[in-house]
Each structure stands twice: as structure tokens, then as C-alpha cells.
Amino acid sequence: MNTSDAKRAIPDGDEAAALAPAAAPAPGELASPDAIVSPDAIAAAQASLARATDDGDPVILVMHASVGSGHRSAAYAIAEALENLGEQARTTPGRPDAAEDGAGDLPPELASLAARARVEVLDILDFGRIVFDGDATASMFTGWTRPFYDLTWRYTLTGRLLWGGGTIWAHVMYPKFVEFVRRVRPAAIVCTHITAANVAVSARMLTGLPFPILCVPTDYEAEGLWPHLHTDLFCVANEAMAETLRPRRVPDDRILITGIPASPAFSLDYDRAAARASFGLPEDKIVVLALAGAKLPRPYVHFREALDELLPFMHTLPNMHLVIVAGADGEYERRVRREVADYGLENATVLGYVNTMAELMEAADVVICKPGGLTVTECLCARAPMVLLGRAYGQEKANVRMLTGAGAAMAATTPRELLDTLRHISEHPASADAMLINASLLRRPHAAAAIARATFELIAKEPPDDAKLRAKHFLHFYWGRKPAHTR
């Protein structure tokens, strides 16, 4: 399978720009991140992967859930890294510079696995007994319900009473996935969403197959409903996340600090002057990039309102140039263009959908964004100082605490705070440089490659002789130790 076409279909940004519609994939091809997979396509993929298994080729499933675009972007970054390792093993064994991209030289047994592996990216929601819109469901937690979401994400089942895993997920909603796994017999399943992880654990319990399961949380803290006791490896962002897993009785040998996987495009070096010229941006001003376009507009209501209130004051920041990315929301783009014209702002630019977001970040000195896990990771990889805008809940609150605590970002809750922050950066540009230095603690641009290598290492190992890891439960709760990070 060739991921090059899919790579081009992957947008350069998580919540940075709205995803454009994509056609369903041909059988056996890696789908684009926004593809809607029909039951016939799932059946075709199942047959194709089963044939690969019959031929002795290891099949690796990378599972996400279409709840926003971050989990999907992470899944495709991992799939691309898996394919790249396979390509390296097939064409340039023993490549001396392999360690530079986080892959390292693969030993012969891993190189053989990588060369033969088939990789498939799938949305777990497509296998549901009831197929629902994950994006619409996510939008339910953006209005008056946000505090309840924060309560369940941060506190319920995240303190001492913890979830281990169980077959209930498959029995209630995902029996189709169990049959898919029984037919395909995957060599490993990598999960970038909590639902995918729990369903993978359910499927392994019911089928009795020995494949390893890797969990890759895409934020800077792990929710309490991840299947802690039945996961072979947690790939986490940093040591602070590892400290949230240890009290949950996840042993150290099942924790790997890799970083959060992002597209390699955000780690490339671009010519800043050329990038600014391509977008028509001035060379002699501080360019402030506001990422206001997304697949899910509803979570961005307050974000966009704050930018609306900022616009009339942009004339007080003459040495700054504001760039607002509206994404594929044409109505929002037209409205902001009218406002910029009405205010007579010469230091503001409005862009629609941008498919070269990494280059645009290179052109910027500061990025205003929501604290979504993949968005901030892309900014870290692109070495873009951040101002995190808006009241954060749930995982976004954890991201804000992590980034601001490390001095890697500034946060503004209200439009006035945002204006004050921009004035500070305008008067003291070195403050943005300080954020870059501090962000180096969190920056891990080769996370996807590290996760890909760990996947092949787990496949090559004998299944662990661990009754607790492989035990079958319908519901599994357990009592953990005192959380490492308590308020």
C-alpha cells in the first residue's frame, strides 16, 4: 500500500483549517482523513487484509474516532511513519542516517516485519451497531454542558476508582469490529482515541488473539477511561503524563515517552521570507496568525467572538500584522473580510482554506489558537510561539496547564486579556523567543516514528505471559493509588 496519495490528502493542521470532503478509498488503499467508509468498503478492506494475513503479511490497524480531526491526524501520522519504516527496510537497509528521524537502524527481524507489513487506518465509529456522527456528538460538549464535560473528564474515574477495560464495549455497540478482527487477525492495533482503544481490548478479549494494543492519547494528560490494565503500551507526550499512569497501576515497562504524533510537514524547515511572500505578508512586522477555521465550527464560537472584539484595536498595534484563517467556512471568511474593510485595517489579512499550514506557521511569529492537543503539538513541532485563547475544559484545560506551566505558551481567556498579551509581545518580542526556548522541553517532532518502531518491536516479541493483561472481563474497575497531580 502506498500512502503518498493519502499524505497529500491530509490537511496541514488539526483544527487550523476545515477539512475538505474526500471520496471513499478504493479497497486496500489508505483512505484520506475525511473519507466516509461505507459498509461495502469495510467488507472490501476486510477481505483484502484477510488475504494479506493468509499470505503471511502482518496487518497493522491504526484506529481513530472521527470526533474532531486531531485523533484522525495522529492516526495518519503514525500510519505514514509505519509505511516509511517499511519503505526504508525494503529499499535502504542499514541506512546510516536513520537515527536522525527517530527510527534508528532496524534489526533484521524488525526490518523483515516492516518490509512486509500492511497498514490500514480505520474509524471505529464506522463499525458501530448504530453509526453516529462523532463530530456532532463532540459539539454537544461546547455550550452550557462544558462544565459537566470537564467534571467527567478530569475527576470521574480519574482519581482512585479506575476503569481497566472490558467486553461491554463490543457487546453493546461493536460486534462488527470483533468479527473484523477475527477475520483479519491483526499483528497489532494502534489506537489514537479512547473508544477505539476500549473496543480493541474488547475484541482481543472475545477473540483470544494475541496481538498487542498500543494506546496513543493525543492530549497532554490521559483520561481515566483508557483501558489501563489491558494495554500493552501507552505512548505518551512527556514524563508528566507518565506520572498520571503510574498511580493507575500501569507498569513502567508499558509506558513509553514518545510525544504526540504530528505530520512531518510541521517539522520541516521552510524559508520564512519565501513563506511570507507567498501569502502576501509584510517582512517588517510581527505576524500574528489566528487559527479560526475548523471542521467543527461550534467549539470556535467564543474564539471567533474574541477575534471580532480584537479587530477594532488592531490599529493600536502598528508593528503587528494579524492573519485570520477562516478555513472552509466561506460565510465566516466573507464576514471577517467585511469587518476588516469597515475598520480600514491595513495590518490584517483574512485567508480561507489553507493546505500549506506548516509553511504559514513558518511565516508567523506568534500563533493564536485553541488548546487542542494536535493543534498545540503542530505549533510545538513548527517552533511557533502560542497564545492559547478561550476558557478551556477537559483535555484542553490539561493542555493549557501543561504548556503555560512549562512557559511554552501564554493564555488569554477574554478579548481584553488577548489584547494585553499581544501588546506585551509587541513591546517585548523577546517574550516570544522565551516561549520557544521553553517549548523545547515538550517538542518531540519524531513521535510518530518512535511509535512506529515500538509497534514493530511489540509484534516481534512473544505475547507476554501476563494473566492480568490477557484476562477476560465484562466490566473491570479497580482501585488506584493517589493521583500524581492533584488540585
Side-chain angles (χ1 to χ4, degrees), residues 2 49 51 56 68 96 126 129 179 269 286 334 341 394 412 438 443 452 455 482:
N2 186 356
L49 294 175
R51 286 194 297 272
D126 290 327
R129 192 188 299 270
E179 294 309 309
D269 292 325
I286 298 173
R334 289 187 292 273
N438 295 330
R443 185 177 185 269
T455 302
K482 182 179 179 180

Side-chain angles (χ1 to χ4, degrees), residues 198-260:
N198 278 292
V199 176
V201 165
S202 292
R204 187 171 67 181
M205 287 180 178
L206 291 172
T207 61
L209 294 171
F211 59 85
I213 295 172
L214 292 83
C215 289
V216 186
T218 57
D219 290 286
Y220 288 82
E221 189 167 313
E223 187 177 359
L225 285 172
W226 285 92
H228 300 104
L229 299 188
H230 300 276
T231 294
D232 293 79
L233 189 67
F234 272 94
C235 298
V236 298
N238 53 23
E239 183 59 42
M241 279 189 73
E243 286 295 341
T244 68
L245 294 177
R246 293 185 181 106
R248 298 173 184 177
R249 302 191 184 278
V250 179
D252 274 328
D253 61 358
R254 294 185 195 162
I255 302 172
L256 181 65
I257 298 173
T258 60
I260 295 174

Side-chain angles (χ1 to χ4, degrees), residues 115 138 171 233 257 281 387 401:
H171 286 304
L233 189 67
I257 298 173
L281 303 178
V387 177
R401 292 183 65 195

Side-chain angles (χ1 to χ4, degrees), residues 7-8 31 76 107 109 114 117 155 172 177 202 206 231 315 392 403:
K7 179 180 176 182
R8 287 192 292 271
Y76 275 85
E109 64 275 13
Y155 293 102
V172 173
F177 186 72
S202 292
L206 291 172
T231 294
H315 69 276
L403 291 162

Side-chain angles (χ1 to χ4, degrees), residues 135-171:
D135 292 337
T137 303
S139 294
M140 294 171 59
F141 299 101
T142 60
W144 63 271
T145 58
R146 286 185 298 173
F148 297 99
Y149 176 64
D150 186 45
L151 183 68
T152 58
W153 200 93
R154 285 287 292 164
Y155 293 102
T156 305
L157 301 175
T158 62
R160 304 297 294 276
L161 180 62
L162 295 162
W163 167 252
T167 61
I168 183 173
W169 295 79
H171 286 304

Side-chain angles (χ1 to χ4, degrees), residues 52-131:
T53 304
D54 293 339
D55 292 339
D57 295 336
V59 172
I60 302 173
L61 303 180
V62 185
M63 307 295 303
H64 67 92
S66 53
V67 181
S69 54
H71 309 287
R72 182 168 37 207
S73 297
Y76 275 85
I78 294 169
E80 183 178 349
L82 288 165
E83 288 282 359
N84 286 344
L85 280 182
E87 184 64 21
Q88 291 169 19
R90 287 189 294 271
T91 60
T92 54
R95 185 168 59 89
D97 62 337
E100 294 179 5
D101 60 12
D105 263 341
L106 290 177
E109 64 275 13
L110 295 189
S112 175
L113 277 172
R116 296 182 292 111
R118 289 282 307 276
V119 182
E120 190 77 16
V121 180
L122 297 170
D123 182 352
I124 190 60
L125 301 186
D126 290 327
F127 291 86
R129 192 188 299 270
I130 300 171
V131 179

